């Protein structure tokens, strides 16, 4: 039996007690140096065990599935694998070269998921290892134009991106006092395109925007800019322009999206840790609505 199935069985066997407990999550600084900047745990006794009027409570405006899944990355990943892949897949996707490179990335994703079976949050070292492997595949695709994504790897990347995004939406809601932002493609483009002041500068206040919207927007920007504009641009790019232009394939966007969501998770986690450091009890209680 695979580790994800075992984890799902253990989760479901928790029954009613866990259904109650999962409504309240304590976010605090770890007692000892760990692989993450913050520690997450469900409050024993759930919401009823939380002091009423505690100023360190954050009430979410929307129920989050990642909390309903016990903050389990493997369980959430398993749920997200049910999703349909909406990207257009060309007929030549079944022409696969460089199978070793494809295989090691698939194994890296499996290792990432399996390694989070017994923990909440994302292990930074394992995240870095996966990002390193993604970058290696991006470089390989640039050098081998005939390389195409097999469907199973596109599915893995898309499902894991969605899972990490679920965590990032949760983290972003903590930083926004419980407000769960629900982005549409149009909202994201309007936000990303918005400039301020007479010089048309970017906003100094940055919000988390899912990278399923950011990467296509950035790709289009990279393609439309002239070489001189790219050279003089102060715009901070997530990826090298040549990467996005050289791999102009919607299927391969899954690589950029996954890598970016992993990086964003680290950034959001750091911001939460800094906020918690300023609190008297060095903790926050997050309540998931019914």
């Amino acid at each position: 039996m695979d580790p994800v199935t075992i984890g799902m069985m253990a989760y479901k066997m928790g029954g009613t007690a866990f259904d109650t407990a999962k409504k309240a999550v304590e976010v605090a600084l770890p007692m000892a140096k760990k692989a993450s900047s913050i520690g997450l745990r469900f409050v024993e006794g759930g919401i009823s065990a939380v002091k009423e009027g505690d100023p360190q409570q954050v009430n979410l405006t929307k129920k989050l599935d990642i909390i309903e899944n016990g903050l389990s990355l493997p369980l959430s990943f398993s749920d997200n694998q049910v999703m349909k892949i909406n990207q257009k897949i060309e007929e030549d996707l079944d022409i696969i070269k460089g199978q070793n490179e494809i295989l090691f990335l698939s194994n890296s994703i499996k290792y990432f998921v399996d390694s989070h079976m017994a923990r909440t949050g994302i292990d930074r070292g394992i995240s870095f290892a996966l990002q390193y492997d993604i970058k290696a595949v991006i470089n390989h695709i640039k050098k081998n134009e005939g390389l195409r994504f097999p469907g199973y790897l596109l599915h893995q990347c898309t499902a894991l991106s969605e899972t990490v995004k679920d965590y990032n939406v949760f983290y972003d809601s903590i930083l926004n006092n419980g407000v769960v932002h629900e982005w549409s493609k149009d909202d994201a483009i309007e936000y990303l395109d918005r400039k301020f002041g007479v010089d048309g500068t970017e906003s100094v206040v940055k919000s988390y925007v899912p990278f399923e919207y950011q990467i296509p927007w950035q790709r289009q920007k990279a393609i439309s800019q002239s070489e001189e504009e790219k050279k003089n641009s102060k715009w901070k790019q997530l990826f090298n322009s040549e990467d996005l232009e050289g791999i102009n394939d919607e299927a391969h966007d899954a690589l950029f999206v996954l890598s970016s969501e992993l990086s964003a998770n680290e950034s959001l986690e750091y911001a939460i840790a800094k906020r918690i450091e300023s609190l008297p009890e060095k903790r926050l209680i997050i309540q998931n609505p019914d």
Side-chain angles (χ1 to χ4, degrees), residues 87-140:
Q87 286 96 330
K88 181 181 178 183
I89 300 178
E90 303 293 342
E91 290 181 0
D92 63 351
L93 278 177
D94 61 353
I95 303 172
I96 303 170
K97 298 178 182 178
Q99 292 186 7
N100 288 338
E101 287 72 17
I102 292 295
L103 182 61
F104 85 65
L105 180 56
S106 180
N107 288 339
S108 185
I109 290 174
K110 184 179 185 303
Y111 173 72
F112 179 93
V113 174
D114 291 349
S115 297
H116 287 86
M117 188 62 64
R119 62 161 292 144
T120 57
I122 292 179
D123 185 294
R124 203 53 53 208
I126 298 172
S127 175
F128 286 165
L130 178 54
Q131 291 175 62
Y132 178 88
D133 288 345
I134 292 171
K135 183 63 177 176
V137 170
I138 288 174
N139 289 337
H140 187 75

Side-chain angles (χ1 to χ4, degrees), residues 1 42 104 116 154 201 236 255 277:
M1 190 176 297
F42 286 93
F104 85 65
H116 287 86
L154 173 59
T201 57
K236 302 294 184 184
L255 287 171
E277 283 177 3

Side-chain angles (χ1 to χ4, degrees), residues 56-253:
Q56 297 181 114
Q57 285 186 48
V58 173
N59 298 307
L60 300 181
T61 58
K62 178 187 174 184
K63 183 187 292 185
L64 295 180
D65 289 340
I66 191 72
I67 298 179
E68 293 292 300
N69 279 338
L71 293 174
S72 168
L73 188 148
L75 181 57
S76 296
F77 174 71
S78 180
D79 283 352
N80 285 327
Q81 283 188 305
V82 178
M83 71 172 65
K84 294 181 180 179
I85 300 174
N86 296 318
Q87 286 96 330
K88 181 181 178 183
I89 300 178
E90 303 293 342
E91 290 181 0
D92 63 351
L93 278 177
D94 61 353
I95 303 172
I96 303 170
K97 298 178 182 178
Q99 292 186 7
N100 288 338
E101 287 72 17
I102 292 295
L103 182 61
F104 85 65
L105 180 56
S106 180
N107 288 339
S108 185
I109 290 174
K110 184 179 185 303
Y111 173 72
F112 179 93
V113 174
D114 291 349
S115 297
H116 287 86
M117 188 62 64
R119 62 161 292 144
T120 57
I122 292 179
D123 185 294
R124 203 53 53 208
I126 298 172
S127 175
F128 286 165
L130 178 54
Q131 291 175 62
Y132 178 88
D133 288 345
I134 292 171
K135 183 63 177 176
V137 170
I138 288 174
N139 289 337
H140 187 75
I141 293 173
K142 284 169 61 180
K143 297 173 183 176
N144 299 270
E145 294 182 1
L147 182 64
R148 292 293 182 269
F149 245 29
Y152 77 89
L153 186 55
L154 173 59
H155 191 212
Q156 279 185 306
C157 288
T158 305
L160 186 54
S161 294
E162 189 69 18
T163 300
V164 180
K165 184 187 80 172
D166 290 343
Y167 250 109
N168 290 345
V169 169
F170 172 44
Y171 285 178
D172 182 62
S173 69
I174 294 174
L175 295 169
N176 287 282
N177 298 313
V179 176
V180 178
H181 290 141
E182 298 183 70
W183 293 91
S184 68
K185 180 179 178 180
D186 290 342
D187 290 339
I189 291 174
E190 180 185 1
Y191 175 80
L192 294 168
D193 280 339
R194 191 69 181 266
K195 298 292 184 288
F196 299 89
V198 294
D199 294 326
T201 57
E202 289 187 354
S203 172
V204 295
V205 180
K206 301 296 183 183
S207 295
Y208 164 75
V209 180
F211 287 90
E212 63 191 283
Y213 304 129
Q214 287 201 56
I215 294 300
W217 174 84
Q218 184 181 337
R219 180 190 294 286
Q220 188 55 47
K221 192 172 183 70
I223 292 171
S224 62
Q225 276 187 317
S226 69
E227 290 303 318
E228 190 62 28
E229 285 177 327
K230 289 173 188 174
K231 183 178 178 181
N232 298 323
S233 177
K234 294 180 180 178
W235 178 61
K236 302 294 184 184
Q237 299 188 62
L238 297 169
F239 291 95
N240 188 290
S241 306
E242 287 74 17
D243 286 346
L244 289 168
E245 290 180 82
I247 309 176
N248 192 10
D249 183 328
E250 288 183 5
H252 294 136
D253 275 355

